[in-house]
Amino acid sequence: GQNIDQPTEMTATEGAIVQINCTYQTSGFNGLFWYQQHAGEAPTFLSYNVLDGLEEKGRFSSFLSRSKGYSYLLLKELQMKDSASYLCAVVDSNYQLIWGAGTKLIIKP
Amino acid sequence: GAVVSQHPSRVICKSGTSVKIECRSLDFQATTMFWYRQFPKKSLMLMATSNEGSKATYEQGVEKDKFLINHASLTLSTLTVTSAHPEDSSFYICSATLGGGDVETQYFGPGTRLLVL
């Protein structure tokens, strides 16, 4: 079966750095998305990786290793507004999006 | 750009009634729209994929007659929950893609919270 694993919850301190991991086992791979979802709101797009390596976009970076079936989202200089759930989603061989359950990130002052 | 709206944002209805949710792409034409359902602290669950002018493709386990989807134009898709029951209470989210590629970023609407009494 297809599976996306993310930690359920993480806690970090304002101003610090946090890494949210995502591992996947899917039938084929055509890219991986990270979305941010604030409580009670719809997800918003953060990043898309299809090639191995690190892509940086401001305070957020996303890394992919296809051979390891692994990605992480790195958030730097954490702000209170970064408190949200972070969803990992993989595009499989049929170009279907397989969603992880999300990681709830709690930022403490 | 790529703004998606949903209406209503919140609806409370009595059991047995039908509820229509609209999803609109405001500044682009969406070749494909998706309807999701999300339970608290759970992942997004894809209900159906909708292409303009054709019948929606429903995921396994989703009742077509209960969740009616109409994609009448390139900017509007509607989801009608027919004869709603309390177990249909959930957060319904639509998304849309610009189209043209195999892998498309989905742009999400703000969601509709449905409570069936």
Side-chain angles (χ1 to χ4, degrees):
Chain A
Q2 314 223 75
N3 197 45
I4 310 280
D5 285 315
Q6 303 179 237
T8 304
E9 188 173 296
M10 298 181 71
T11 303
T13 305
E14 190 177 15
I17 299 174
V18 71
Q19 177 175 310
I20 302 173
N21 295 326
C22 171
T23 58
Y24 60 89
Q25 301 91 38
T26 56
S27 56
F29 179 84
N30 281 297
L32 184 146
F33 286 91
W34 282 98
Y35 280 84
Q36 178 191 61
Q37 185 178 25
H38 285 99
E41 299 181 11
T44 55
F45 169 78
L46 290 178
S47 66
Y48 172 69
N49 294 63
V50 67
L51 299 177
D52 290 349
L54 183 69
E55 293 205 7
E56 299 183 68
K57 193 184 293 184
R59 293 190 299 115
F60 292 10
S61 302
S62 55
F63 171 84
L64 174 67
S65 168
R66 288 171 296 173
S67 62
K68 295 181 179 177
Y70 168 68
S71 172
Y72 68 72
L73 181 69
L74 190 71
L75 291 75
K76 302 176 184 176
E77 301 170 18
L78 286 170
Q79 301 175 11
M80 298 303 293
K81 67 178 182 179
D82 297 330
S83 292
S85 286
Y86 292 85
L87 307 174
C88 171
V90 172
V91 184
D92 70 9
S93 57
N94 293 318
Y95 297 99
Q96 299 294 309
L97 204 54
I98 313 300
W99 291 89
T103 298
K104 182 178 180 180
L105 177 63
I106 300 168
I107 309 296
K108 295 185 175 179
Chain B
V3 178
V4 177
S5 71
Q6 264 183 258
H7 179 79
S9 59
R10 189 181 297 266
V11 59
I12 301 173
C13 68
K14 292 182 180 180
S15 186
T17 60
S18 293
V19 175
K20 180 186 281 189
I21 303 170
E22 291 187 350
C23 177
R24 293 181 184 273
S25 55
L26 297 184
D27 53 358
F28 66 101
Q29 292 188 326
T31 55
T32 305
M33 287 184 168
F34 303 85
W35 286 97
Y36 290 88
R37 185 173 179 180
Q38 188 176 35
F39 294 101
K41 299 182 181 180
K42 298 291 184 183
S43 182
L44 294 168
M45 184 189 80
L46 180 65
M47 298 174 67
T49 302
S50 167
N51 290 293
E52 184 264 340
S54 61
K55 289 184 179 180
T57 302
Y58 289 81
E59 295 299 302
Q60 195 171 8
V62 178
E63 299 176 58
K64 300 178 184 180
D65 295 331
K66 181 162 184 65
F67 297 100
L68 299 178
I69 292 173
N70 186 306
H71 195 154
S73 75
L74 283 171
T75 59
L76 174 64
S77 177
T78 60
L79 167 68
T80 302
V81 183
T82 61
S83 187
H85 289 283
E87 57 265 31
D88 298 325
S89 299
S90 190
F91 190 48
Y92 292 87
I93 313 174
C94 74
S95 70
T97 60
L98 293 163
D102 289 323
V103 180
E104 295 283 332
T105 299
Q106 293 186 28
Y107 298 95
F108 287 85
T112 297
R113 195 162 299 279
L114 171 64
L115 177 61
V116 184
L117 302 175

